[in-house]
Structure formats: structure tokens, C-alpha cells
Amino acid sequence: MFNKPEQTHAIGQGWKGGKGQKLVVRNVKMTGITVNAVGAGWLAKTNAQQKVPAPLITYFSHEKVEASFVQALATTGGKDLFTRKDRQGRTWAAHTNSRGKADEGKLHSHEDWTAVVVIMSGAATFITPGTASPGAARGTPEGGQLIGAGESHRVSTGDVVIIPPDAPHLYKDIEEPFRYLVVETP
């Protein structure tokens, strides 16, 4: 049945073409290997993306925050509640601050960071030194009010003040307990 080369079995007939047929088979095999490799890579990437844990969120109970305010008052007036560096190495922090009458009038500024100040209790007059420029109060598109040099504003519980880097300011006429949370942002 298979004695003559011309009468080969149907399976072997594909090989009669010589080198051209071998090239086709090799190309088909290489395409199959490439498709499998790309598919495996995509699957591995998809699985890796799905398995990346979410960043951890930090929570402080009101008891921990209160304790931090108490410690702040007992020391220098400020206490770090939270500090972290981001991926670019910049510091993000939350500070608790307690100021009393003895702290009135101390001019200060924050180098290289913006302070988001949330008044938690009490009240004070927030003052920026300098000469006030004449004109009406200026507002922001978000509904805030801009505070320029030489201006003062009474701040109290629930108010938020955003202080850019190197903006000198001070607190006067403090009503105790004057406590505020400062979120330090780069």
C-alpha cells in the first residue's frame, strides 16, 4: 500500500512540496507561539493589576484628635497628628494646634508648603501684616474671600483659611480654647 513514494498516505502528502512547505509550517508554529506569549503576557498583566492592593486610609478617632490637641497645648502649641511623604518625596501632614492668650501676636509663615487651616473651637482675629489696599473685598470662584496684606478677619469654629507658602500671618484676640487643625500640603 505504501511501497511507492507517489502513493503516500494523505497525511504525508503535505510534505511533498519540499522547502516551501516547511517554511509555511515554521511560520504557523512561530505565529502560534507569538500569540500564546502575547496572550499570557496580557493575562499576567491583567491579573497583576487586579491584585494590587488599594492604598491604606488613615483614620483618627475623635478621642485621638482630642488627645493630640491636649498634648499640643501642653507643649509648643502644635503637635503632629499625621505625617507622610508622597512618591515625589514631598511632605503631607496634619497638625493639631492649641493657642492661648500667651500666643497672641506671634508673626509666622510656612516655608514651601500651603496650610489648610480648619478652626475646630474658639475664635481669633487672623491678621496679615502690611498695608491694606483700598477696594472692595475680593472673592474666589469657589465662594471664598481673599485676604490681602494689612487685612484682618475674625475666624471661629468651622471656618477654613488656606495660607500659601511664605505668607506672614498672626492671631490676636484669642478666645480659648482656640484649636485648629492644619493640613500641610506641598
Side-chain angles (χ1 to χ4, degrees), residues 69-85:
F69 276 119
V70 169
Q71 289 174 353
L73 186 59
T75 57
T76 61
K79 172 96 171 80
D80 287 344
L81 181 64
F82 171 85
T83 302
R84 276 292 179 304
K85 291 207 181 278

Side-chain angles (χ1 to χ4, degrees), residues 6 15 37 67 77 79 84 97 100 115 128 131 144 148 152 159 164 183:
E6 302 86 46
W15 294 102
K79 172 96 171 80
R84 276 292 179 304
N97 293 274
T128 56
T131 305
S152 65
D159 289 349
V183 180

Side-chain angles (χ1 to χ4, degrees), residues 1 18 33 48 65 92 103 112 116 119 121 138 140 148 176 183:
M1 172 170 168
I33 290 170
V65 175
W92 293 78
D103 296 314
D112 304 322
V116 179
I119 310 302
S121 69
R138 299 164 310 271
T140 68
E176 297 174 323
V183 180

